[in-house]
Amino acid sequence: MAKTSTAWSRHRLQNLAKFRYALRQFLHFSEGRAAEAGLHPQQHQLLLHLAGAPEGVETTVSYAAERLGLRHNSVVELSKRCEEAGLIRRKHGVSDRRRVVLQVTAEGQRVLRALSEDHERELVELVPRLIHSLTLIRNSQKHNKSGGQESATERGRRGR
């Protein structure tokens, strides 16, 4: 029984490794394309999150920090560099002057559009591998449920 369990665990780890590798390939592609466009990867991500914010969401420094997983002061510096490069505009909020709203400029939109077209083409190639890897992981999780294990997402939903 231990041999079967070890083989099953190894199989699960291989599935996770395949998925992680595919993600890393995409991130490497993304970082390379951003550099070719004259941007740091975080600048590209900032533009993407600002331009891709849901309708009605105020794209503040706090919003960007949360979306990028960065500290507020890091996004302040990042947004200053993007503003200096002509990619975004920073303006104070109307109701609260302490809030800084970030807006993508026409130049930022141009750069982002070109990068996004490249990324979409790359994802067309990569999506089947990602879906396959995710399906294998999901199927291994179905088997895992019978063992009483719970995912980090499930623990987070319970507030752990």
Side-chain angles (χ1 to χ4, degrees):
M1 184 78 168
K3 193 172 190 176
T4 304
S5 177
T6 302
W8 183 73
S9 294
R10 180 160 177 74
H11 183 70
R12 287 176 58 210
L13 293 174
Q14 288 170 344
N15 292 340
L16 289 169
K18 285 178 193 174
F19 178 69
R20 181 65 178 98
Y21 178 63
L23 283 178
R24 186 63 212 134
Q25 285 183 305
F26 179 70
L27 292 174
H28 182 72
F29 165 85
S30 180
E31 291 163 359
R33 286 299 189 268
E36 289 172 12
L39 301 179
H40 292 285
Q42 286 183 334
Q43 289 175 310
H44 170 226
Q45 292 301 307
L46 178 62
L47 291 175
L48 181 62
H49 285 292
L50 296 177
E55 195 70 35
V57 170
E58 192 174 41
T59 52
T60 62
V61 170
S62 295
Y63 170 81
E66 193 250 315
R67 296 299 294 209
L68 294 169
L70 297 173
R71 290 190 319 259
H72 188 274
N73 61 326
S74 297
V75 174
V76 168
E77 290 304 313
L78 177 61
S79 66
K80 284 180 182 176
R81 288 193 307 274
C82 285
E83 184 178 43
E84 290 167 2
L87 302 169
I88 69 168
R89 251 186 309 284
R90 295 164 22 103
K91 62 180 194 173
H92 290 283
V94 176
S95 61
D96 183 349
R97 303 271 311 146
R98 294 172 296 176
R99 293 172 60 100
V100 175
V101 178
L102 308 173
Q103 296 176 327
V104 180
T105 63
E107 175 62 13
Q109 289 283 357
R110 185 193 64 75
V111 171
L112 183 58
R113 188 171 28 260
L115 284 169
S116 296
E117 289 171 0
D118 286 346
H119 281 69
E120 286 176 351
R121 280 191 296 277
E122 181 70 9
L123 282 170
V124 165
E125 300 292 322
L126 186 59
V127 161
R129 288 181 28 222
L130 287 169
I131 290 172
H132 179 72
S133 294
L134 287 170
T135 301
L136 293 172
I137 291 166
R138 183 186 63 203
N139 290 342
S140 71
Q141 278 296 307
K142 288 179 182 176
H143 295 291
N144 194 33
K145 294 292 182 195
S146 61
Q149 299 285 333
E150 68 179 345
S151 70
T153 303
E154 289 169 330
R155 285 192 300 274
R157 285 184 187 138
R158 282 202 348 266
R160 258 202 220 168

